[in-house]
Amino acid sequence: MSNKNINRLFEALTPTTEQKEKMFQNILAQSQNENTRRRGFTPVKRARSVVLAAVLMVCLTTTAFAAAYTGLDKTFLKFLNPVNNEQAEYLSNGAYVVDKQVANENGSLTIKQVIGDSNLTYIIMNFTAPEGTVLNAARYRFEDNMITTDQDYQSIGFKVLDDGNPIDNKISLVMNIMTKNSIAGQTVHFKFKDLQAADPLPGIYKTVIPGFWETAFKLDFKEYSNLYQIDQNIAMFGYGAVLETISVSPISISLKIQSRSLNEINEAAGRLKEMGQNEYSDNYPITINYKDGTSETTSIFTGLHVLDYLNDQMLTIKTFENVINDKEIASIVFFEKEIPIKN
């Protein structure tokens, strides 16, 4: 393994501040317990015991932490389609294993894993209907998806994954949650109602499995984003604005813009043009320039666009069919402003 690979592996395994604090509190609590129980020990033996307890607790905590983040569900990995083994390893070590199941008489829902960045969270889940049921529609979703986060706005969608058996009673789904800020570390309450199915577009969704599935779990994934503070003036359709930040990760790129002319910019951008079935033009495209000289432009809009007129802020999140090679990005162009990206 190269030094670069080793550095990225350690980067992915680095605990968050909250996790470091928990480790420290555990060590401190263990130390106090040892002191209380072993008052007959000599100072030297007591000190050694405390050190050993601390080292053991660090090892146990670190091992548990690594175990929770190691490995990526093979169906999830196929959906993400990383560009190389190095990125697959990086994604695997940031994924958080949930493995939580809720069930009723109509089926069971198993939450498998979570990955995410500053604005996008992916949750893979398996649904199993009663024996004898065949789940083989082109598209599935839950009619109602109620989740509680600290965000004032969130966009939710589902995509069916290929689980290798299209005629059984099981399906795998990826739920995407797009938000203004990261929801990493939050304990989120989920309530799903009525599984619905549809044929390929323009098929209409209909309920095929009624019922409620409700649970709560922590979104303790490692956030993949790198945030770049830009603060540069740009012109959007002839109106002044400030490109404040660009957030880059393998699964999305997000830009935050400040302007007192949001209404004029929005009117100049116009309505989204239909490019195909359920495909619309990106009126705020970005061009990604890679180090090898290639580039791609987000001509089709897949993501989230939010205008906050009260605070003169715009957020545009770009998602991609598969993960992008974020470590090979040389620059990003937005409304003729080229921003170098340093990895």
Side-chain angles (χ1 to χ4, degrees):
M1 182 180 290
S2 67
N3 290 336
K4 187 178 181 181
N5 290 344
I6 293 172
N7 289 335
R8 288 194 177 177
L9 180 58
F10 274 100
E11 180 186 351
L13 288 171
T14 301
T16 63
T17 301
E18 180 186 358
Q19 288 161 340
K20 290 177 180 177
E21 179 64 22
K22 285 183 179 178
M23 290 181 187
F24 175 75
Q25 293 300 333
N26 286 336
I27 293 169
L28 186 62
Q30 182 73 11
S31 172
Q32 290 171 343
N33 290 338
E34 288 292 329
N35 283 335
T36 301
R37 288 200 301 267
R38 300 175 183 270
R39 286 178 181 172
F41 280 29
T42 63
V44 173
K45 288 183 178 179
R46 184 164 60 242
R48 179 178 298 173
S49 175
V50 169
V51 171
L52 288 175
V55 171
L56 178 61
M57 183 56 69
V58 168
C59 292
L60 289 174
T61 306
T62 304
T63 302
F65 175 77
Y69 285 85
T70 300
L72 198 62
D73 182 279
K74 63 179 182 181
T75 306
F76 207 6
L77 190 63
K78 187 177 180 181
F79 162 72
L80 295 169
N81 194 20
V83 295
N84 51 39
N85 290 334
E86 182 183 354
Q87 190 179 53
E89 184 178 48
Y90 179 69
L91 292 171
S92 295
N93 288 309
Y96 182 67
V97 177
V98 180
D99 269 343
K100 188 168 188 177
Q101 185 179 86
V102 288
N104 60 33
E105 67 276 11
N106 293 332
S108 63
L109 183 67
T110 303
I111 311 299
K112 300 290 291 183
Q113 291 182 325
V114 183
I115 69 169
D117 62 17
S118 60
N119 300 95
L120 173 62
T121 302
Y122 281 137
I123 302 175
I124 184 172
M125 56 186 72
N126 295 339
F127 184 86
T128 303
E131 289 293 337
T133 305
V134 176
L135 300 178
N136 60 355
R139 297 180 292 152
Y140 285 94
R141 70 177 186 186
F142 288 96
E143 181 181 15
D144 289 333
N145 319 285
M146 291 167 279
I147 68 173
T148 57
T149 69
D150 64 357
Q151 303 291 295
D152 56 4
Y153 182 85
Q154 52 210 13
S155 172
I156 296 172
F158 289 91
K159 184 172 183 177
V160 182
L161 304 186
D162 180 8
D163 62 1
N165 189 346
I167 58 172
D168 62 3
N169 60 334
K170 302 175 182 177
I171 54 172
S172 292
L173 298 169
V174 164
M175 178 182 187
N176 67 72
I177 308 171
M178 282 178 270
T179 51
K180 287 184 178 179
N181 298 291
S182 176
I183 54 176
Q186 293 186 39
T187 297
V188 178
H189 180 260
F190 292 81
K191 188 174 183 179
F192 303 106
K193 178 190 175 187
D194 294 350
L195 182 70
Q196 295 190 318
D199 293 330
L201 288 168
I204 305 299
Y205 279 104
K206 296 180 181 178
T207 297
V208 292
I209 306 287
F212 285 95
W213 293 267
E214 188 172 358
T215 185
F217 54 88
K218 194 168 187 178
L219 302 175
D220 212 5
F221 58 86
K222 179 178 174 60
E223 188 191 312
Y224 292 114
S225 297
N226 286 314
L227 182 66
Y228 299 90
Q229 193 70 40
I230 310 301
D231 294 328
Q232 292 191 26
N233 294 326
I234 58 175
M236 300 177 68
F237 305 106
Y239 298 96
V242 176
L243 176 57
E244 294 185 323
T245 63
I246 298 179
S247 182
V248 179
S249 88
I251 59 176
S252 79
I253 293 178
S254 303
L255 296 85
K256 291 185 177 179
I257 301 107
Q258 184 88 19
S259 177
R260 294 182 178 180
S261 304
L262 285 188
N263 192 45
E264 292 82 358
I265 290 172
N266 188 44
E267 288 185 0
R271 302 183 64 178
L272 299 179
K273 297 178 182 177
E274 189 168 3
M275 309 293 285
Q277 284 194 334
N278 205 33
E279 286 188 347
Y280 297 89
S281 61
D282 187 353
N283 290 346
Y284 303 89
I286 61 170
T287 295
I288 305 170
N289 294 321
Y290 293 99
K291 295 176 182 177
D292 63 1
T294 61
S295 64
E296 63 176 308
T297 299
T298 58
S299 55
I300 303 296
F301 178 67
T302 56
L304 177 67
H305 190 72
V306 180
L307 296 173
D308 180 354
Y309 291 107
L310 291 178
N311 296 298
D312 297 329
Q313 291 182 335
M314 174 189 296
L315 168 68
T316 182
I317 304 171
K318 314 295 183 185
T319 65
F320 307 91
E321 181 66 24
N322 302 123
V323 296
I324 58 173
N325 196 351
D326 61 313
K327 303 302 181 186
E328 293 300 317
I329 295 177
S331 66
I332 291 175
V333 180
F334 185 65
F335 281 86
E336 300 182 352
K337 176 70 73 174
E338 183 169 5
I339 306 297
I341 300 297
K342 297 180 180 178
N343 293 300

